[in-house]
Amino acid sequence: MSTPSILILPGDGIGPEVMAEVRKVIDWYGAKRNVTFDVSEDLVGGAAYDAHGTPLHDDTMAKAQEVDAVLLGAVGGPKYDVLDFSVKPERGLLRLRKEMDLYSNLRPAQCFDALADFSSLKRDVVAGLDIVIVRELTSGIYFGEPRGIINEGNERVGINTQRYTESEIERVARSAFELARRRGNKVCSMEKANVMESGILWRDVVTEVHQKDYQDVELSHMYADAGAMQLCRWPKQFDVIVTDNLFGDLLSDAAAMLTGSLGMLPSASLGAPMANGRPKALYEPVHGSAPDIAGQGKANPIACILSFAMALRYSFDMGDEATRLEEAVEKVLADGLRTADLLGEDGAQPVSTSEMGDAIVAALEASVA
Ligand code: NAD
């Protein structure tokens, strides 16, 4: 197979700062593990607008369609708030997601032992937590027609439509079952089949896909509101949760916060397999461009580094190397290193973005010594 290719789009604010630390990790893999990538870099968001007058140049879009994985930092910032909606930095990211047809959004909620006291839940509820929420990303109520605000009689009516086709449900269900096979082999599907026809169809199609091709994976169903309660009560009962766009939006944010700081949360958005069998893929931290701390060396690079770990696992079939990287992160946290966002009340001194990146590379180095 040809050298795996990655397009890096650092973006705005802290995006370039955290991405610089990912570059150190990528360089380490090249130098020490003989895992080389064909890496190219380009602009997105406000940075692309400044250079080209558009948040995503057509050439960049074309490159994104060709590579094996896109790694994005973050977009946006107050400087761009005045721009017309059509050229706002976020439009660059939305265009990437839409044109790459990234329908399966993976949001892990993983609690590193050293940070268990950071959660708003009790230590024993979250310590060792490792679940993934698979959210359908390209359909459902955010896209369904009809939509709008109309006049009816003497008042206005707001309308959005929840709409799912069988094939849309089937492909995201497959993505969840495939993921579960690489993890704890359990999928819990969440909808509201008790009150929504789209929920009834969702449950039917997930069950059919399971019956047909994934009987080795344990499948359960839960109403999404009960799922929200269970996520707060005992999240470790789950392995993979698959759900629609709206419920996934809410549940993945709630689950992510079980584990502490925004600076720790990676994500992957996957689409259909390409000719080489790899899925179309975009990896990015969940956080934004954090203008309040940009340029100060305070950003936590771990979310972006863990996003690269997801790329190793899901795009490049290097699960062992992904685990090595996750363990390196766990090691530096266990050693007590903290960026400012992870500091408790104990008065410890924070490390900078680059010190955190260097420490993770040193832990990688120690893992092969
Ligand atoms: P944000 O995620 O940028 O920041 C929220 C808070 O979390 C801030 O206090 C910030 O300092 C902190 N934070 C975020 N990431 C951190 C990190 N890695 N290390 C330490 N602290 C971190 O969200 P926001 O303030 O609502 O948005 C800022 C800009 O980012 C806006 O322009 C918004 O549109 C954009 N945004 C972009 C994305 C994206 O690119 N995917 C996502 C969300 C927001």
Side-chain angles (χ1 to χ4, degrees):
M1 217 180 231
S2 58
T3 311
S5 54
I6 301 180
L7 172 62
I8 290 188
L9 301 173
D12 309 319
I14 62 169
E17 297 169 47
V18 295
M19 199 59 87
E21 304 313 307
V22 177
R23 290 298 286 249
K24 289 179 186 168
V25 170
I26 293 176
D27 290 348
W28 181 84
Y29 273 101
K32 299 297 170 70
R33 300 297 294 159
N34 210 12
V35 175
T36 47
F37 297 95
D38 178 0
V39 181
S40 52
E41 190 165 321
D42 212 330
L43 303 172
V44 69
Y49 179 81
D50 288 341
H52 306 299
T54 166
L56 189 74
H57 196 280
D58 289 345
D59 292 348
T60 317
M61 186 65 242
K63 246 188 262 174
Q65 297 282 23
E66 280 163 19
V67 293
D68 295 314
V70 178
L71 198 55
L72 186 137
V75 296
K79 177 180 165 193
Y80 306 104
D81 285 349
V82 294
L83 293 180
D84 185 73
F85 184 69
S86 62
V87 288
K88 278 202 187 296
E90 291 74 11
R91 303 299 297 173
L93 178 53
L94 293 177
R95 182 176 175 199
L96 280 165
R97 288 180 183 157
K98 182 161 185 282
E99 294 192 20
M100 292 170 76
D101 198 12
L102 303 172
Y103 55 80
S104 177
N105 181 224
L106 276 52
R107 291 270 302 264
Q110 191 176 9
C111 186
F112 292 98
D113 217 34
L115 297 183
D117 293 324
F118 242 77
S119 171
S120 50
L121 299 188
K122 292 195 195 91
R123 167 174 270 275
D124 69 314
V125 175
V126 292
L129 178 71
D130 179 10
I131 64 177
V132 180
I133 299 202
V134 177
R135 166 190 172 192
E136 199 290 326
L137 199 60
T138 51
S139 185
I141 199 160
Y142 294 154
F143 298 93
E145 298 283 347
R147 63 185 297 160
I149 299 175
I150 61 166
N151 290 313
E152 210 174 81
N154 56 3
E155 65 175 351
R156 290 173 302 159
V157 180
I159 300 171
N160 290 93
T161 302
Q162 167 86 329
R163 182 179 192 279
Y164 270 107
T165 64
E166 285 183 283
S167 53
E168 286 167 345
I169 301 169
E170 177 175 344
R171 63 185 188 172
V172 74
R174 285 188 181 281
S175 160
F177 286 125
E178 292 291 336
L179 175 64
R181 275 185 177 157
R182 303 163 81 144
R183 297 174 38 91
N185 221 29
K186 275 198 318 193
V187 170
C188 180
S189 170
M190 294 189 186
E191 27 55 22
K192 293 272 291 176
N194 48 343
V195 286
M196 295 171 76
E197 285 75 8
S198 59
I200 295 173
L201 184 70
W202 183 281
R203 190 176 282 222
D204 283 354
V205 174
V206 171
T207 305
E208 285 160 19
V209 171
H210 177 253
Q211 280 296 313
K212 190 159 167 260
D213 289 325
Y214 297 97
Q215 289 194 26
D216 55 305
V217 180
E218 188 184 321
L219 171 66
S220 59
H221 301 274
M222 209 177 267
Y223 297 138
D225 48 347
M229 282 197 286
Q230 291 301 328
L231 267 176
C232 300
R233 193 187 69 83
W234 191 244
K236 285 188 243 181
Q237 69 186 281
F238 298 112
D239 174 29
V240 173
I241 292 171
V242 63
T243 190
D244 72 16
N245 203 343
L246 174 62
F247 296 141
D249 197 2
L250 308 182
L251 293 171
S252 63
D253 268 20
M257 276 300 106
L258 299 176
T259 68
S261 167
L262 252 183
M264 295 290 301
L265 300 170
S267 79
S269 300
L270 307 178
M274 300 183 283
N276 62 12
R278 293 177 174 140
K280 284 249 161 99
L282 171 77
Y283 299 89
E284 56 180 327
V286 168
H287 63 72
S289 59
D292 53 334
I293 57 166
Q296 300 171 34
K298 287 185 183 167
N300 183 350
I302 292 179
C304 205
I305 288 174
L306 291 177
S307 300
F308 176 65
M310 291 185 85
L312 288 173
R313 180 170 287 121
Y314 299 123
S315 280
F316 304 122
D317 240 343
M318 296 181 195
D320 290 350
E321 297 300 343
T323 302
R324 179 191 303 283
L325 182 50
E326 287 158 354
E327 285 174 356
V329 169
E330 187 152 23
K331 164 93 173 42
V332 301
L333 294 172
D335 287 349
L337 261 75
R338 302 279 186 272
T339 41
D341 56 309
L342 300 178
L343 283 186
E345 316 267 286
D346 54 6
Q349 278 300 309
V351 298
S352 68
T353 309
S354 66
E355 284 168 334
M356 181 58 93
D358 290 342
I360 291 169
V361 170
L364 283 170
E365 188 68 39
S367 77
V368 296

